[in-house]
Amino acid sequence: MAFAPVGPEASFFEALDQHRASLLAALRRGGGEPAGGGTRLASRFEDSVGLQMAPHCTRRKIKSDSPKSAKNFALILKILSMIYKLVQSNSYATKRDIYYTDSQLFGNQTVVDNIINDISCMLKVPRMSLHISSTSKGLIAGNLRYIEEDGTKVHCACGSTAVAVPSNIQGIRNIITDAKFLLIVEKDATFQRLLDDNFCNRMSPCIMVTGKGVPDLNTRLLVKKLWETLHVPVFTLVDADPHGIEIMCIYKYGSMAMSFEAHNLTVPAIRWLGLLPSDIKRLNIPKDTLIPLTKRDQMKLDSVLKRPYVTCQPFWRKEMEIMADCKMKAEIQALTFLSSDYLSRVYLPNKLKFGGWI
């Protein structure tokens, strides 16, 4: 054993163990959800991968002798030259570093970001293979140890302090854990509250991750690596609103912008643990804690409902339809009106024990 268990009795994890067994069985069958250069605008959906670039998508040509694309062509060559030097010297730079080498030439950070994504797509390699790293904003805590590429030994504790998600996920090795599940928490405030409530210790062995809202590349890569290494159930805890659902979909199915790298980023085995729109009525959450959907919320919800992967998630669709019908949303913090520690001591333990995920 890598860690001394201090959590619930073994019987508590029966539903989780059954769920993991079904995930492993699906993996052995080689299909279904649990399995893991052109433009990045044309995407298709595959159940076992998520959103990915269509094989026969529209292509965009950039010519050196065209007045319209001459500058963009020159910028691509400049960044390719910088990438070549990084690879040759075995050094790394962030997109921000590249932008500041000549901020006047590039104009803004978005230009650099788009060109780097285009190069990654064109060469069909992950961004890290170009020696372009990303700044991590995510955090991780719980029953986990690993060694980083430079030999640094990381021990993620179950206490009140989390560890920053590393900037080189590909370099992580010797992952050690007894975790029964991985919980992705949408917001940093909720993540910190769970740590303060000693959730990791009481539900040990487990791992918690947060991308602090919309996840950065490294947080998504880490979740993917943990899934591929451990094959334990992965759950999301997000607000019962269109924005929270969108974030959950990014982890599970990916995004259009990064569809060319879907195989490295998506975890279709992810399940929605909470907060479910149906929980609002079931738990009698006070109406004065709910928030009316804005016009922007309704547009986002309509957009998600039309996405191809929703057709294979009837329970997700039902939850979103409940939200659309009542025209209300709720933050996870609404549970504190039931009791200050309801989330960590009642809601999540019951969901995990009795299989309350979809």
Side-chain angles (χ1 to χ4, degrees):
M1 298 288 286
F3 300 84
V6 294
E9 294 181 357
S11 59
F12 177 90
F13 296 110
E14 285 182 3
L16 283 167
D17 291 340
Q18 290 173 7
H19 179 45
R20 188 188 184 201
S22 69
L23 293 174
L24 293 174
L27 280 172
R28 285 192 292 269
R29 290 195 301 269
E33 276 196 339
T39 66
R40 290 168 284 105
L41 298 178
S43 299
R44 63 189 175 94
F45 169 70
E46 184 177 315
D47 189 27
S48 62
V49 178
L51 288 173
Q52 57 183 320
M53 193 171 69
H56 303 294
C57 60
T58 303
R59 296 181 180 271
R60 173 165 52 91
K61 293 183 178 180
I62 300 174
K63 300 180 180 180
S64 61
D65 59 352
S66 169
K68 290 184 178 180
S69 59
K71 182 180 179 181
N72 199 27
F73 184 83
L75 293 179
I76 291 174
L77 288 181
K78 181 175 178 62
I79 293 179
L80 279 171
S81 174
M82 297 174 69
I83 290 172
Y84 176 77
K85 291 176 181 178
L86 289 170
V87 173
Q88 286 290 94
S89 61
N90 195 29
S91 54
Y92 291 82
T94 65
K95 292 187 294 185
R96 200 69 176 160
D97 293 333
I98 291 176
Y99 168 68
Y100 277 116
T101 60
D102 200 332
S103 59
Q104 289 188 335
L105 175 65
F106 293 122
N108 60 69
Q109 183 68 55
T110 302
V111 171
V112 174
D113 295 351
N114 289 338
I115 289 175
I116 289 171
N117 284 342
D118 283 340
I119 291 172
S120 181
C121 180
M122 178 177 65
L123 299 180
K124 298 180 180 180
V125 295
R127 190 190 304 167
M128 187 59 72
S129 297
L130 303 176
H131 281 234
I132 297 175
S133 59
S134 301
T135 302
S136 300
K137 66 171 183 172
L139 298 172
I140 184 167
N143 188 285
L144 180 67
R145 296 175 186 167
Y146 57 85
I147 299 176
E148 295 186 348
E149 186 179 37
D150 62 1
T152 301
K153 295 181 179 179
V154 179
H155 182 188
C156 300
C158 293
S160 59
T161 304
V163 173
V165 170
S167 59
N168 185 358
I169 304 301
Q170 288 179 323
I172 291 177
R173 64 184 190 276
N174 292 14
I175 294 175
I176 301 174
T177 182
D178 297 320
K180 289 285 189 177
F181 65 92
L182 168 61
L183 179 64
I184 302 169
V185 183
E186 175 193 352
K187 299 188 298 189
D188 183 39
T190 305
F191 181 86
Q192 296 297 338
R193 179 57 191 265
L194 289 173
L195 288 181
D196 292 340
D197 286 352
N198 206 26
F199 176 80
C200 273
N201 268 321
R202 287 190 288 103
M203 290 293 103
S204 181
C206 69
I207 299 170
M208 284 203 315
V209 172
T210 181
K212 297 183 179 180
V214 178
D216 59 275
L217 182 65
N218 287 327
T219 302
R220 293 174 63 189
L221 285 169
L222 177 64
V223 171
K224 175 72 171 184
K225 189 176 186 72
L226 290 176
W227 159 247
E228 289 191 328
T229 304
L230 309 176
H231 290 144
V232 296
V234 184
F235 302 112
T236 55
L237 177 64
V238 300
D239 287 337
D241 66 11
H243 185 68
I245 294 171
E246 173 80 275
I247 288 172
M248 175 173 60
C249 290
I250 290 173
Y251 282 107
K252 185 177 176 75
Y253 293 122
S255 61
M256 291 281 284
M258 298 295 290
S259 58
F260 64 94
E261 208 174 332
H263 287 272
N264 299 317
L265 295 173
T266 60
V267 183
I270 285 174
R271 295 293 185 270
W272 188 359
L273 188 65
L275 180 66
L276 302 180
S278 60
D279 289 335
I280 296 172
K281 183 178 181 180
R282 181 177 64 84
L283 299 173
N284 293 317
I285 295 175
K287 289 185 178 181
D288 59 359
T289 66
L290 305 182
I291 306 168
L293 290 178
T294 65
K295 187 175 181 179
R296 186 177 179 182
D297 288 332
Q298 291 174 339
M299 291 174 63
K300 171 65 71 176
L301 188 57
D302 290 341
S303 171
V304 175
L305 281 167
K306 292 175 182 176
R307 294 179 188 176
Y309 46 71
V310 175
T311 59
C312 66
Q313 292 290 345
F315 294 112
W316 284 30
R317 170 175 284 278
K318 184 177 179 181
E319 292 293 332
M320 286 185 269
E321 288 173 347
I322 291 172
M323 186 187 302
D325 290 341
C326 71
K327 294 181 170 55
M328 302 293 282
K329 61 184 180 180
E331 296 183 335
I332 297 168
Q333 283 76 6
L335 294 174
T336 61
F337 286 87
L338 301 175
S339 71
S340 61
D341 57 357
Y342 189 86
L343 174 66
S344 61
R345 289 190 175 274
V346 181
Y347 182 79
L348 289 177
N350 283 342
K351 286 265 185 173
L352 293 166
K353 182 175 183 179
F354 298 109
W357 54 77
I358 58 174

